[in-house]
Amino acid sequence: MTDQWHGDRFDDGRPRVPDAVLEELRTATIEQVWQVLWDAGYEHQFEGDWLVTHPGRRLVGRAVTAQFLPRRPDLDDVMVETANREGRPTRSDNQNWLVVESLVDGDVMVVDIFGKIYEGTVIGDQLGTAIDSKTKAGAVIHGGIRDLEGITSLSNSVVYYRGTDPTPIRKVTLAGLNIPVRIGGATAMPGDVVLGTPAGVLFIPPHLAEEAAQQGAATRRRDLFAKGRLAEGRYSTSQIDVEIWAEDIEIDYLSWSSAQG
């Protein structure tokens, strides 16, 4: 599924985008990097309108994807039997921990539970603590969480979610781990770089991550120049807010950029 990625991979096969690329993206905004995806034909990678446990934190990491479906007994029986045979004791109502146990440092748990909140609480503060310590990143859950006060006390991670409820997770089956999943109107793949900001969540295909990071850095630099010149009153918005600057403005930018080092 990820044959366009030619770099390192995890043991589970997921693309391993370098840490340096993740760090570059950590200061990017959605608007600064999405154009790279759009130009490459990836038009369904963003989802907004989230609740967020730590609004001041950014979320950056590599996706581990999971899909839950409404419980169907025959499918659930196969899933439970398989997990138990592999030495991972599991029941119908505790399959969420299997996703958490697969995480490593820098991972983001990305869960499609079809927007379910009542009895759709994928994590509480115990699994949230495990995510916090294992990944130091967080999760994107198209569904519910519980124990919100405990989760908001975690020191490293941030969770994007749809709602809270005191009920435990029930009547669902883990149908797939590290498969393509739908998160609202976006398609997420295992190994995608997850970028969560106040605007929402962007799933960046791994083979585009480095270009997106470079483009984001270049756009941030140009934005800094543009806003500075607008604040000084040197140029008008009609001169700055265009796709291509006039030659004299471009020369001014290059001189300014060189002076910044």
Side-chain angles (χ1 to χ4, degrees):
M1 293 184 296
T2 56
D3 62 350
Q4 294 187 58
W5 171 255
H6 302 296
D8 292 339
R9 292 180 180 269
F10 288 97
D11 291 341
D12 61 12
R14 287 182 301 134
R16 184 169 189 161
V17 174
D19 291 341
V21 174
L22 300 187
E23 286 304 310
E24 187 67 61
L25 286 167
R26 201 171 296 280
T27 55
T29 68
I30 299 291
E31 292 77 10
Q32 289 168 349
V33 302
W34 78 274
Q35 188 73 48
V36 170
L37 279 58
W38 187 269
D39 290 345
Y42 292 80
E43 300 181 5
H44 305 287
Q45 302 305 122
F46 173 78
E47 180 68 10
D49 299 322
W50 294 93
L51 298 173
V52 187
T53 57
H54 299 81
R57 291 182 194 167
R58 287 173 171 264
L59 176 60
V60 178
R62 308 173 187 91
V64 168
T65 60
Q67 181 190 55
F68 286 86
L69 298 177
R71 184 178 182 272
R72 172 173 162 146
D74 53 354
L75 175 63
D76 198 74
D77 289 346
V78 170
M79 191 275 157
V80 171
E81 179 184 350
T82 301
N84 288 338
R85 186 171 61 245
E86 293 175 352
R88 298 180 291 173
T90 304
R91 306 184 309 271
S92 292
D93 59 352
N94 77 336
Q95 298 165 9
N96 48 343
W97 75 269
L98 293 171
V99 187
V100 176
E101 284 300 303
S102 73
L103 302 172
V104 298
D105 186 56
D107 282 345
V108 175
M109 187 171 77
V110 178
V111 179
D112 170 19
I113 191 169
F114 53 93
K116 185 178 184 183
I117 299 172
Y118 174 73
E119 296 185 340
T121 51
V122 178
I123 63 170
D125 57 357
Q126 292 186 8
L127 289 185
T129 298
I131 293 171
D132 192 63
S133 62
K134 289 167 73 70
T135 74
K136 299 175 180 61
V140 176
I141 299 173
H142 187 49
I145 65 173
R146 64 198 300 251
D147 302 319
L148 180 61
E149 290 183 75
I151 294 176
T152 55
S153 70
L154 299 175
S155 57
N156 298 309
S157 58
V158 55
V159 178
Y160 287 71
Y161 64 101
R162 293 306 192 191
T164 61
D165 199 271
T167 55
I169 189 171
R170 293 180 68 243
K171 301 176 184 176
V172 294
T173 297
L174 177 62
L177 181 63
N178 280 328
I179 62 172
V181 296
R182 174 184 172 184
I183 303 297
T187 298
M189 297 268 282
D192 278 357
V193 175
V194 182
L195 174 60
T197 77
V201 177
L202 188 69
F203 301 99
I204 304 172
H207 63 282
L208 296 176
E210 184 174 4
E211 182 182 355
Q214 292 171 350
Q215 182 61 49
T219 301
R220 283 196 302 279
R221 198 172 184 88
R222 294 179 77 87
D223 282 350
L224 183 62
F225 165 81
K227 288 183 283 191
R229 290 297 191 251
L230 286 171
E232 296 167 1
R234 185 174 303 192
Y235 303 120
S236 68
T237 54
S238 63
Q239 292 175 296
I240 287 293
D241 193 18
V242 293
E243 187 172 346
I244 300 176
W245 288 334
E247 183 178 358
D248 61 324
I249 299 178
E250 188 67 34
I251 291 173
D252 184 21
Y253 166 69
L254 293 175
S255 176
W256 173 90
S257 182
S258 178
Q260 299 300 306

